[in-house]
Amino acid sequence: MSQVVALRWTSALMGALTAVLAMLTVLELLPRRRRLAIAAGVLLGFLPQFGFMSGAINNDAALNVLAALVVYLTVRGLRRGFSPWLGLALGVALGLAPLMKGTGYALYPCVALGLAAGLVRNHTRRDLLGVLAAAAAVLAVYLGWGQLSGVFHRATFATPGGGTPG
């Protein structure tokens, strides 16, 4: 019973982090509109289906928090530039998202477009290193999980049969 409660609390914490990341994303886009950013986080947190998924034991909560982190880091990179550390964090989050649920792959084209736009906007070596760090982190997570997944008796991906979705 204590493990079930711990998992439900973890899921609720991931839901809260998702709402905070939504607030931070709006704050990054509109830095002078703090009330609008707070409203974004509150509205997300009080969506009935979001609250339901965040209060249950569900892999959607993990995907939601990773997707919110990917969106926030991409927006932050577009606004301030892709530093190597930001690229590394973005790549790890992007690599972990499909491991939680196969629909995490839907983020890849949007992030690729964001990284390309970031490179077009800022032609610095720092931004190029950030984009390369993101790509390397995604590859490292992909290859690392491919090696570790057998230990957990899991298929490589979180899809039926372990195949790639789509």
Side-chain angles (χ1 to χ4, degrees):
M1 187 65 173
S2 63
Q3 292 175 342
V4 172
V5 171
L7 281 173
R8 288 186 76 157
W9 283 355
T10 302
S11 202
L13 178 63
M14 285 190 253
L17 286 173
T18 303
V20 168
L21 286 166
M23 182 192 74
L24 290 174
T25 301
V26 173
L27 196 59
E28 188 69 37
L29 289 169
L30 305 167
R32 296 181 186 182
R33 306 293 293 254
R34 293 187 184 273
R35 287 185 182 166
L36 190 59
I38 292 169
V42 169
L43 285 173
L44 177 65
F46 284 113
L47 281 172
Q49 187 173 358
F50 180 77
F52 167 75
M53 286 189 303
S54 297
I57 300 171
N58 195 338
N59 61 341
D60 286 326
L63 179 63
N64 286 341
V65 75
L66 286 170
L69 181 62
V70 165
V71 169
Y72 171 69
L73 292 173
T74 303
V75 168
R76 186 174 174 96
L78 284 169
R79 297 249 320 144
R80 301 181 189 201
F82 288 100
S83 69
W85 288 109
L86 188 137
L88 184 67
L90 177 61
V92 168
L94 194 60
L96 289 175
L99 297 178
M100 299 304 126
K101 194 170 182 182
T103 54
Y105 282 116
L107 297 167
Y108 280 53
C110 301
V111 173
L113 183 63
L115 290 172
L119 282 178
V120 168
R121 187 173 182 207
N122 299 323
H123 308 308
T124 65
R125 180 182 295 190
R126 178 178 169 256
D127 286 289
L128 181 61
L129 288 174
V131 170
L132 291 176
V138 168
L139 186 62
V141 168
Y142 180 81
L143 294 175
W145 181 249
Q147 296 298 315
L148 282 174
S149 62
V151 175
F152 300 107
H153 304 289
R154 299 291 300 171
T156 303
F157 297 100
T159 56
T164 56

